[in-house]
Amino acid sequence: MAVTLDAFDRKLLAEVQRDAQVPQNELGTRVNLSTAAVNRRLRRLAEDGVIDRYAAIVSPEKVGCPLTIVSMVEVESEQIDLLDSMKRTFEQCPQIQQCYYVAGEWDFVLILTARDMEQYNDLTRQLFFSNNNVKRFKTLVSMSRVKVGLGVPVDIDG
Amino acid sequence: MAVTLDAFDRKLLAEVQRDAQVPQNELGTRVNLSTAAVNRRLRRLAEDGVIDRYAAIVSPEKVGCPLTIVSMVEVESEQIDLLDSMKRTFEQCPQIQQCYYVAGEWDFVLILTARDMEQYNDLTRQLFFSNNNVKRFKTLVSMSRVKVGLGVPVDIDG
DNA sequence: TCTGAAAATGGACCTTT
DNA sequence: AAAGGTCCATTTTCAGA
């Protein structure tokens, strides 16, 4: 599953995770490689799925979603088809940025973004109260998004 | 803080959040605008901070970070400088993808990525056990990353 | 690694509302 | 003024030698 990456690949990945807009010739001077080599490596990293995709990161506040909420959900039954159905529901909800199926005191952890508490209450009704398989859930309202990203460390370690 | 967005802006934001690599002329045909208009709007969205940045999303598994963990932390004291110091520590840790300062039963929620459990244990020592201001913490190990993204809904609602 | 063609970006300028 | 469209220059990407 994992892929072999050399020091150049790692540097490139670190760069493009931070900023995917810097041109390949600039990347070349930063990592000490020709533009063409950078081009080939980035293409290969994308082909191999190391780079999953390129995305614009938009500011939630600026588009009227100032509220970030962490919800934890415990299910009634862990029957496969019930779980799958819940996963699909969570995946499809546009306000759910992230959903992790976890082991421990809870079964799902969700990161949500919402316009206001009213919208979150609505979501709560749709996602939790009207779902028979939700035993209980807990809400943690974010007061500050201290760090937000999907960056993966590639610097030295594996 | 929020910004006024028309239907064109919203469509463009939806597109580039999903895939930032589609060229502006293609975006133009999709949203019914000339290439130049798309160019101008994207530039303005970036200048206004609506688009925070462009980033490559890399697959954690492929680079040897198959483990995703959600940690919740309760602090001993909420004294400002102690909190700030913790926030800085969390921000700087490369394995911490996200850190939310929350209200409720816990004070911080962290999303971490790690090579293996041993690395997580090390992090645990560095971040939690050796920090006097950590009263307790809880670990939820992700078995499945059902949905992972930073996408913000821009379709219809504000 | 270099060179050059094709593609994409972004500015100039004019037109519309 | 604010925003769109067309055209053109510049920059960037990317393949072949």
Side-chain angles (χ1 to χ4, degrees), chain A residues 24-74:
Chain A
Q24 298 174 354
N25 63 7
E26 168 62 22
L27 290 176
T29 70
R30 288 191 199 172
V31 307
N32 245 301
L33 227 47
S34 72
T35 306
V38 171
N39 187 289
R40 272 191 298 266
R41 281 173 180 266
L42 288 179
R43 164 178 305 282
R44 150 126 18 163
L45 288 168
E47 274 169 7
D48 292 350
V50 177
I51 295 176
D52 180 55
R53 59 191 241 271
Y54 292 87
I57 312 291
V58 342
S59 158
E61 301 84 21
K62 298 278 181 163
V63 299
C65 278
L67 224 57
T68 298
I69 289 166
V70 181
S71 299
M72 275 134 11
V73 179
E74 185 185 357

Side-chain angles (χ1 to χ4, degrees), chain A residues 93-114:
Chain A
C93 174
Q95 281 77 22
I96 296 183
Q97 292 189 322
Q98 294 160 62
C99 170
Y100 303 97
Y101 178 54
V102 298
E105 189 189 330
W106 298 94
D107 296 302
F108 288 100
V109 174
L110 309 175
I111 310 288
L112 292 108
T113 183

